[in-house]
Amino acid sequence: MGNSAYKSAPRLTNPVNDASAVGGMLKKAGFDLVDIKLDLNAAEMRRALRDFGGKAREADVAVIYYAGHGIELDGNNYLVPTDAALETDTDVFDETLPLDRALFAVEPAKQLRLVILDACRDNPFAKTMKRTIAARAIGRGLAKVEPTSPNTMVAFAAKAGSTASDGNSKNSPFAAALVERLPTPGLDLRKAFGFVRDDVLKDTGYKQEPYVYGSLGGDDVPLVATKPVVAGPQANPDSEIRRDYELALQLGTRDGWTAFLNRFPSGFYTDLAKGQLNKIAAEETRATTADKARQAEEEKARLAAERATKAEQEKAAAAAKAAEDKRLAAEKAKQVEEAKAAAAEQRRKEAEAAVAKAMAEKQAAEKALAEKLASDKAAAELAAKQAAEKQASANTEQKVAAVAPSSTLPAMSPQETTKLVQSELRRVGCLTASADGDWNASSQRSLALFNKYAGTKFDAKLASFDALNAIKAKPGRFCPLICDRGFKADGDTCTKIACRAGYRVNDDNECEKVQDKKPVATREDAKKRDTERKQTEAKPSKPQASGQLICGNAGCRPVKSGCRVESGSSSGAGSVGYREVCP
């Protein structure tokens, strides 16, 4: 991958050239599949890594090379796509890809996992980026890494905490050294990167020192294996003859075939070349006879137009007929030669395919024999070990319960096993925490989640090899990506949904326009009103004042509750008065 055309930063000159050069080197080195991806945005980078991880599952060796901008934040490294703006430090989590994503992509490879980062340039984003936390560390270059998977190497163009140079040529000094050193057949990677380091130090005046992190076993691990010497007679012992034949076939000229025959006067390909030369000669004869036939017809027509003598016209007609017969014969001869050449070319292809098949079968048989010998040797060693243990047990007359080590389980500590299971759970999307070797509650929940979707019944409290093998069998993300409200899935991460002004995220995680609140007239609840009226009527009535007043010499006062006013005669005067009557 090479990113040059950044939208929010000055264009980089070399990454596209570097990625193309390294990709071409890997193709020439004999890798079965090489993808060259240039100027990728965030979504394209995620898709490329996801696809590559699926293809690497059946591979022995997986290599990722990245050239472009990288950034280190709080001790973690991130690869910067071309569409990243990185206005604030928190944008790093949304707009970039962590280095761990590249490590996950190469992890399924069986023998060697290699990630090469030519991304230690002076990063312009770090200078303009706003910090949400003043103490947050944004480092210079990239931070040191410690791969957790075995047989994994991470190569930096410059040592952690320092920056690399683009150089003044078409390719960076680091990329040029990689193309020169890595494809050397049989050269161990550790030694190859040592030569790369020496070349870069020399080219940069000892200002830039590449560095490699990770470790390999005791055996040599070359990127390109030494080609085995094939014994026995071969149908095509000299590949140079075949190459020259195919070049002459592409030219398709008399001079090309003549030069080939002068250099190789005999042999299988020489006979094929003679057939090709005969085809060219037949075509030249056909063209000559066709031209003569045309000229004879033109002479015949001219004599007829000029009213020549009958004898001259008959002579011209005979000549035209003879020329036409020769043209037809030459045309037929050309077709015959073309058919012969095509049949010879088909025989050549079939012969070469048969040779290739025989070589492949021989190599497969040799490999199977070597594996059988190794298996027999391991079985013999195991039997001898078991016999020795049995003899030692008999000599000491002790009853010892011994469990022979299984040849299918690697000798790893429980913490290493836990890290591998956690890494696989992260790869399939069931675990979001880091692979730290601590089988905590988060890791147990992630294995339980895997059991749910895979239909397995592994003990979630234990990181076992059976669970590791089952998880490795999944080619990509297996557990669904679940995002909280206000976030949406973007590849393997959840990104916040940003709505424009006047809009908000609704319950369906979509942006909708905010409606202005208006006063709403409400109708009185008739049912509630009738219920309240009935409750009031059902209550016993309380004594109430009559609202009457009675007056006397002392003034007027209200009539007492439960009393009434009646008229009556006033004593001594015969006048009518009022009195208060109470029950």
Side-chain angles (χ1 to χ4, degrees):
M1 294 184 291
N3 286 342
S4 288
Y6 282 92
K7 297 179 181 179
S8 301
R11 179 183 177 86
L12 295 175
T13 304
N14 286 341
V16 168
N17 300 333
D18 295 341
S20 300
V22 174
M25 177 268 291
L26 294 174
K27 288 181 179 179
K28 292 180 181 178
F31 277 74
D32 296 330
L33 177 64
V34 179
D35 288 335
I36 300 176
K37 305 290 187 179
L38 305 177
D39 291 330
L40 305 178
N41 58 33
E44 291 169 342
M45 286 186 70
R46 292 189 182 95
R47 188 180 308 113
L49 291 174
R50 181 171 61 249
D51 295 343
F52 183 80
K55 297 172 183 176
R57 184 160 294 280
E58 302 299 326
D60 292 328
V61 179
V63 182
I64 289 180
Y65 171 84
Y66 171 77
H69 277 310
I71 190 170
E72 180 259 315
L73 182 67
D74 288 342
N76 296 313
N77 299 316
Y78 300 87
L79 310 183
V80 183
T82 56
D83 59 347
L86 301 184
E87 296 178 354
T88 64
D89 51 5
T90 56
D91 291 340
V92 172
F93 304 111
D94 299 326
E95 300 177 5
T96 66
L97 277 78
L99 173 59
D100 285 345
R101 187 62 187 87
L103 292 173
F104 291 151
V106 299
E107 195 168 21
K110 302 172 184 176
Q111 297 180 5
L112 173 65
R113 310 163 185 91
L114 176 61
V115 176
I116 305 174
L117 296 180
D118 196 354
C120 307
R121 295 167 174 81
D122 188 13
N123 198 327
F125 296 101
K127 299 176 182 178
T128 59
M129 185 183 298
K130 297 178 182 178
R131 271 65 161 181
T132 57
I133 300 177
R136 174 162 284 157
I138 300 178
R140 184 171 181 263
L142 297 179
K144 179 181 177 180
V145 296
E146 292 295 343
T148 57
S149 299
N151 294 330
T152 301
M153 294 182 69
V154 180
F156 284 2
K159 194 174 182 180
S162 60
T163 58
S165 170
D166 264 350
N168 299 320
S169 61
K170 180 180 179 182
N171 297 111
S172 70
F174 183 58
L178 291 174
V179 173
E180 177 69 21
R181 298 293 187 176
L182 291 190
T184 304
L187 181 63
D188 181 62
L189 269 181
R190 288 158 290 200
K191 196 167 185 179
F193 277 110
F195 288 139
V196 170
R197 169 190 174 274
D198 295 342
D199 292 346
V200 174
L201 281 172
K202 183 178 178 181
D203 291 343
T204 59
Y206 295 89
K207 296 179 180 179
Q208 177 182 337
E209 180 185 7
Y211 214 82
V212 177
Y213 301 92
S215 64
L216 301 179
D219 297 333
D220 286 349
V221 183
L223 189 66
V224 180
T226 304
K227 294 182 180 179
V229 178
V230 181
Q234 303 295 319
N236 183 17
D238 193 350
S239 61
E240 185 179 3
I241 299 178
R242 176 182 175 181
R243 184 175 65 250
D244 289 351
Y245 174 85
E246 292 176 346
L247 179 60
L249 186 64
Q250 291 178 358
L251 293 174
T253 62
R254 176 181 287 276
D255 292 340
W257 290 117
T258 301
F260 179 86
L261 291 173
N262 290 337
R263 186 174 181 184
F264 306 106
S266 62
F268 174 75
Y269 286 94
T270 300
D271 295 337
L272 296 177
K274 290 179 180 178
Q276 294 292 337
L277 197 59
N278 291 338
K279 186 177 77 170
I280 293 177
E283 171 59 24
E284 292 175 348
T285 302
R286 184 203 64 79
T288 301
T289 55
D291 185 65
K292 289 183 178 179
R294 179 182 57 78
Q295 293 177 358
E297 285 294 332
E298 290 176 353
E299 179 66 16
K300 176 182 175 183
R302 183 185 67 78
L303 291 175
E306 293 176 356
R307 296 183 180 181
T309 63
K310 183 177 180 181
E312 292 176 339
Q313 291 187 20
E314 289 177 352
K315 182 178 179 180
K321 185 177 184 304
E324 179 63 17
D325 292 340
K326 289 183 179 180
R327 185 191 70 79
L328 294 175
E331 182 72 29
K332 185 176 181 180
K334 176 201 168 186
Q335 294 175 355
V336 171
E337 292 300 329
E338 286 180 344
K340 289 181 179 179
E345 189 65 13
Q346 180 63 29
R347 289 195 300 273
R348 176 183 75 87
K349 293 179 179 179
E350 291 174 353
E352 292 175 351
V355 170
K357 181 179 179 181
M359 292 178 64
E361 290 175 350
K362 182 178 180 181
Q363 292 175 356
E366 292 175 348
K367 183 179 179 181
L369 179 60
E371 291 176 350
K372 184 176 184 302
L373 292 175
S375 177
D376 293 343
K377 181 179 179 181
E381 291 176 351
L382 181 60
K385 183 178 179 181
Q386 290 176 343
E389 291 176 350
K390 183 177 181 181
Q391 183 63 34
S393 176
N395 291 338
T396 56
E397 297 182 354
Q398 293 179 350
K399 296 181 179 180
V400 180
V403 179
S406 174
S407 61
T408 60
L409 297 179
M412 289 188 293
S413 65
Q415 186 177 15
E416 291 175 338
T417 304
T418 299
K419 283 186 177 181
L420 287 177
V421 175
Q422 289 174 331
S423 298
E424 285 298 313
L425 287 171
R426 282 175 58 87
R427 181 183 62 80
V428 298
C430 298
L431 177 64
T432 57
S434 60
D436 54 4
D438 180 15
W439 193 251
N440 51 26
S442 177
S443 300
Q444 294 176 17
R445 286 194 299 271
S446 67
L447 183 54
L449 186 63
F450 178 84
N451 285 335
K452 175 182 177 182
Y453 290 102
T456 54
K457 297 181 180 180
F458 299 115
D459 185 2
K461 297 181 180 180
L462 177 65
S464 63
F465 282 104
D466 292 337
L468 177 62
N469 293 332
I471 302 170
K472 277 189 173 182
K474 304 302 178 184
R477 169 175 282 278
F478 186 72
C479 294
L481 179 61
I482 301 174
C483 299
D484 296 334
R485 182 177 178 275
F487 291 81
K488 63 179 180 180
D490 184 8
D492 292 333
T493 60
C494 294
T495 58
K496 187 175 182 180
I497 300 174
C499 298
R500 63 178 184 270
Y503 285 76
R504 66 180 179 185
V505 179
N506 60 17
D507 294 338
D508 296 327
N509 260 11
E510 296 178 350
C511 292
E512 67 175 6
K513 190 173 182 180
V514 178
Q515 301 292 336
D516 295 334
K517 293 185 178 180
K518 297 180 180 179
V520 180
T522 58
R523 300 179 63 181
E524 186 178 358
D525 191 345
K527 184 176 181 180
K528 180 179 180 182
R529 182 189 59 198
D530 292 343
T531 301
E532 292 177 348
R533 180 178 58 81
K534 291 179 179 179
Q535 291 176 351
T536 303
E537 292 177 350
K539 291 181 179 179
S541 59
K542 296 180 180 180
Q544 297 182 355
S546 62
Q548 296 177 324
L549 297 176
I550 187 168
C551 299
N553 294 333
C556 296
R557 62 176 177 80
V559 176
K560 295 179 181 180
S561 177
C563 300
R564 63 181 184 278
V565 178
E566 293 182 356
S567 61
S569 300
S570 179
S571 60
S575 61
V576 178
Y578 296 90
R579 61 178 181 176
E580 181 180 15
V581 178
C582 295

